[in-house]
Amino acid sequence: MVVRLMVVDDHRLLAEALASALKLRGHRVLAAAAPTADAAELVVGRAPEVCLFGTAAPAAPGTFDPVVRIRRERPQTAVVVLGPVPSPRGIAAAFAAGAAGYVRHDERIEGVERAIAKVRAGETAIAPQLLQGAFAELLNPAVQPDDEGRRLLRMLTPREVEVLVRVAEGEDTRLIAAGMRIAPSTARTHVQRVLMKLGVGSRLEAAALAARTGLLDRAAAGTRQGPDPLG
């Protein structure tokens, strides 16, 4: 069964490699291109039966905007997303945008072909274990970085938030004390309280945790939880 295909991926090398593999298996590949932001234009112009849409960040905002447009302007084209796993929210976002299938990046070419055949026939293509993982995550969501950052921020006083920001910027106790116009012993006490509240053992760990959870971004934006009665 020969299928008219289009392959788009944020990584051109991956798109071209997959396109070459599908050509060798007898399919008609109309285009292999990057970035995925251009997918809608290509699909509307070339009218493939199936578009393979590769992305490394399926959960990122706006990733599947081209898929939404494809479904609106070229509904005859079925879109199969090639994405990472685990990415339950990405899988959910792909189908919400109108994708007909989701295949993990490390799938064998035979698996990709099976997905192509299914969506061309009007069916949905996704491995049962991926679907189960997506439902499990959506029904029992793990704490997201943004949520974790908000929770940690509530534990700190405004003064401690300022100390954490300075720690993340690499300031030692002397610089923290000078910048905040407090005694070095007071600065040291604040640092110890921050480490204790965050549950880490070093300034480096505190800085890494703050960056990973988005706490620093929230602090920089002025998200503070009440006054510090102790100053």
Side-chain angles (χ1 to χ4, degrees):
M1 178 187 65
V2 177
V3 180
R4 293 196 320 278
L5 297 165
M6 180 170 296
V7 182
V8 292
D9 197 292
D10 290 328
H11 298 89
R12 185 177 298 277
L13 186 62
L14 295 180
E16 292 178 350
L18 180 55
S20 296
L22 291 168
K23 284 180 182 179
L24 289 174
R25 300 177 77 86
H27 298 289
R28 183 184 175 195
V29 181
L30 305 178
T36 52
D38 298 331
E41 291 288 345
L42 291 170
V43 167
V44 172
R46 301 289 185 90
E49 294 175 278
V50 177
C51 171
L52 299 179
F53 185 96
T55 177
T63 294
F64 295 119
D65 287 353
V67 178
V68 173
R69 183 181 167 194
I70 289 169
R71 295 301 299 154
R72 182 177 66 246
E73 299 185 21
R74 181 69 192 176
Q76 306 95 319
T77 297
V79 178
V80 175
V81 173
L82 306 177
V85 173
S87 182
R89 291 183 179 276
I91 293 171
F95 284 101
Y102 191 104
V103 177
R104 55 190 298 164
H105 268 147
D106 59 357
E107 180 62 80
R108 296 173 63 88
I109 190 67
E110 293 84 2
V112 176
E113 276 195 302
R114 284 194 295 271
I116 290 171
K118 290 190 73 171
V119 300
R120 185 174 183 262
E123 301 176 37
T124 299
I126 181 171
Q129 61 269 29
L130 298 188
L131 194 57
Q132 290 168 3
F135 275 120
E137 168 65 18
L138 292 174
L139 292 174
N140 301 287
V143 175
Q144 297 300 303
D146 187 59
D147 297 330
E148 181 70 359
R150 185 184 297 111
R151 183 185 70 81
L152 293 174
L153 193 62
R154 290 196 187 104
M155 297 168 57
L156 304 177
T157 67
R159 181 59 62 91
E160 289 165 349
V161 170
E162 183 178 354
V163 168
L164 178 59
V165 170
R166 291 178 179 275
V167 166
E169 291 174 349
E171 294 187 9
D172 58 18
T173 302
R174 180 181 56 82
L175 288 175
I176 293 173
M180 298 179 65
R181 298 183 180 179
I182 57 179
S185 59
T186 303
R188 191 174 301 108
T189 298
H190 280 311
V191 170
Q192 290 304 314
R193 284 179 179 171
V194 169
L195 299 185
M196 180 183 65
K197 287 184 177 182
L198 296 183
V200 296
S202 70
R203 298 180 183 216
L204 183 60
E205 288 181 83
L209 177 64
R212 187 176 71 249
T213 61
L215 197 161
L216 289 179
D217 292 336
R218 287 187 167 276
T223 306
R224 304 289 173 83
Q225 298 296 322
D228 180 1
L230 300 178

